[in-house]
Amino acid sequence: MRHTHPHTASIAAAALFAMLFCGPASAQPDSGLPPILRDMPQSGAMCRNERLPGIAQSGGARAEGGMEASCALPVLGAQAFLQKAGAVVIDTRHEAEFTQFHIVNAMRIDAQSIRLKPYLRDRPLLLVGDGKSDRELYGVCGRLRAQGFKSVQVLMGGMAGYLAKELPVAGRSVPDAFEAAQLDPAQLWAQSQFPESLVLVVNGAPTAELLPLASQVADSTPRAIAAAVERRRKEHKTVLANVTVALDGAMSEATFRQFSQAVAPAPLLVYAGGATALKGFLRSQEAAWAAHARGPKQPRCG
């Protein structure tokens, strides 16, 4: 029987630990995390050699999760984009979603794999997500530009916004715009943490207590929704990626269309799941955060 040297075994054990518990630093966004996790050293991060000169990082914090205005392409500009020579639509959703429906002639590529496709560097690229969790795509847009990709933009509202404009799609099962705009509790929370998204809680719904960054609208009329959107545009002077209306109880498709017109050109998303479902999601997240906080930490450098 072959015996393993103790030192070799310890190295192998350390390597296995790294494979199981360590991930890339970029995979652990800090938005919305409690302080105990936000301040925790990330597992798998390499120790920086303080004796070496610093290396400037392209894109900065904005590329990690912020939104560069030039990255955003309104849905109404999609048709003009498709007329560009060599234009490529990259659908970053899961394979099953892509198979269900997608923009005609789109390519399905994982967002993090685009940089590995050198033949795309000189092509006009339009990144498309589901419209409900697209914050990451704006970071990807910034990083790709910093890495030498000539022309990269993100479709505002993703496929949900695209369907709302009744533009042509391919696929075996295409949902209507109202269905595509519905959010679950996790997606609602993600939107509430996205600075370029406006979450409006209608009629003092209990959901408001769980979303401290959301705005409240006392009147559920399209005029009140439009006024809230206009206030946000005047106060922030930045691109509005989308608007989410959260309410307790169902929204009719007719109301959805009225609200869509009120917030245009920003895409509209809807959460009608109520406070109970959102509370359940947040409790599960708190449990996950607590487990993460008790989990393995990064070994000390040196």
Side-chain angles (χ1 to χ4, degrees), residues 179-191:
E179 178 185 351
Q182 302 297 317
L183 299 180
D184 62 29
Q187 293 164 337
L188 172 63
W189 178 257
Q191 291 302 320

Side-chain angles (χ1 to χ4, degrees), residues 191-192 194-201 213-216 225 227-233 236 240-245 263 267-269:
Q191 291 302 320
S192 74
F194 185 11
E196 283 78 17
S197 174
L198 174 63
V199 176
L200 300 175
V201 181
L213 301 180
S215 300
Q216 297 191 47
I225 298 296
V229 172
E230 186 60 26
R231 282 196 302 272
R232 192 271 181 195
R233 288 188 174 124
H236 293 273
L240 184 57
N242 55 54
V243 176
T244 296
V245 172
V263 306
L268 175 67
L269 299 172

Side-chain angles (χ1 to χ4, degrees), residues 151-285:
S151 175
V152 187
Q153 289 183 284
V154 177
L155 182 66
M156 293 177 62
M159 288 307 302
Y162 192 84
L163 290 175
K165 299 302 180 183
E166 300 181 348
L167 296 171
V169 295
R172 62 188 184 192
S173 177
V174 182
D176 60 36
F178 184 45
E179 178 185 351
Q182 302 297 317
L183 299 180
D184 62 29
Q187 293 164 337
L188 172 63
W189 178 257
Q191 291 302 320
S192 74
Q193 303 299 301
F194 185 11
E196 283 78 17
S197 174
L198 174 63
V199 176
L200 300 175
V201 181
V202 176
N203 287 338
T207 306
E209 302 175 1
L210 307 173
L211 300 172
L213 301 180
S215 300
Q216 297 191 47
V217 180
D219 188 352
S220 60
T221 64
R223 178 178 295 182
I225 298 296
V229 172
E230 186 60 26
R231 282 196 302 272
R232 192 271 181 195
R233 288 188 174 124
K234 289 181 178 179
E235 291 172 358
H236 293 273
K237 308 290 186 183
T238 57
V239 173
L240 184 57
N242 55 54
V243 176
T244 296
V245 172
L247 67 165
D248 285 342
M251 174 187 289
S252 69
E253 186 167 355
T255 300
F256 170 75
R257 293 188 180 279
Q258 292 173 351
F259 282 6
S260 293
Q261 294 176 358
V263 306
L268 175 67
L269 299 172
V270 177
Y271 176 77
T276 301
L278 182 58
K279 285 180 181 178
F281 164 74
L282 292 177
R283 279 196 297 268
S284 68
Q285 289 303 295

Side-chain angles (χ1 to χ4, degrees), residues 3-281:
H3 295 282
T4 303
H5 191 279
H7 180 64
T8 304
S10 64
I11 294 176
L16 178 61
F17 179 88
M19 291 174 63
L20 292 176
F21 298 107
C22 298
S26 61
Q28 300 183 19
D30 62 4
S31 177
L33 295 178
I36 190 171
L37 292 185
R38 189 166 56 246
D39 301 332
M40 183 190 305
Q42 296 179 1
S43 298
M46 295 183 65
C47 298
R48 182 176 60 186
N49 188 337
E50 299 293 348
R51 292 172 296 181
L52 297 178
I55 300 176
Q57 298 183 4
S58 301
R62 175 165 291 274
E64 286 299 319
M67 178 176 171
E68 296 182 17
S70 60
C71 277
L73 178 69
V75 173
L76 292 179
Q79 294 295 84
F81 172 88
L82 294 174
Q83 302 304 315
K84 293 182 178 181
V88 178
V89 176
I90 298 180
D91 194 317
T92 64
R93 298 173 301 153
H94 295 299
E95 184 70 43
E97 295 174 298
F98 178 82
T99 301
Q100 184 183 4
F101 67 99
H102 55 266
I103 296 174
V104 178
N105 295 326
M107 299 173 59
R108 202 213 75 81
I109 303 177
D110 179 83
Q112 303 303 328
S113 300
I114 299 172
R115 62 184 178 84
L116 304 177
K117 314 291 184 183
Y119 61 88
L120 295 175
R121 283 184 173 271
D122 296 324
R123 307 276 294 273
L125 306 181
L126 181 60
L127 311 185
V128 180
D130 60 8
K132 305 174 184 181
S133 52
D134 288 351
R135 180 179 185 177
E136 177 192 8
L137 286 186
Y138 292 101
V140 171
C141 174
R143 290 193 292 273
L144 289 175
R145 290 180 174 187
Q147 292 163 5
F149 284 75
K150 297 295 179 62
S151 175
V152 187
Q153 289 183 284
V154 177
L155 182 66
M156 293 177 62
M159 288 307 302
Y162 192 84
L163 290 175
K165 299 302 180 183
E166 300 181 348
L167 296 171
V169 295
R172 62 188 184 192
S173 177
V174 182
D176 60 36
F178 184 45
E179 178 185 351
Q182 302 297 317
L183 299 180
D184 62 29
Q187 293 164 337
L188 172 63
W189 178 257
Q191 291 302 320
S192 74
Q193 303 299 301
F194 185 11
E196 283 78 17
S197 174
L198 174 63
V199 176
L200 300 175
V201 181
V202 176
N203 287 338
T207 306
E209 302 175 1
L210 307 173
L211 300 172
L213 301 180
S215 300
Q216 297 191 47
V217 180
D219 188 352
S220 60
T221 64
R223 178 178 295 182
I225 298 296
V229 172
E230 186 60 26
R231 282 196 302 272
R232 192 271 181 195
R233 288 188 174 124
K234 289 181 178 179
E235 291 172 358
H236 293 273
K237 308 290 186 183
T238 57
V239 173
L240 184 57
N242 55 54
V243 176
T244 296
V245 172
L247 67 165
D248 285 342
M251 174 187 289
S252 69
E253 186 167 355
T255 300
F256 170 75
R257 293 188 180 279
Q258 292 173 351
F259 282 6
S260 293
Q261 294 176 358
V263 306
L268 175 67
L269 299 172
V270 177
Y271 176 77
T276 301
L278 182 58
K279 285 180 181 178
F281 164 74

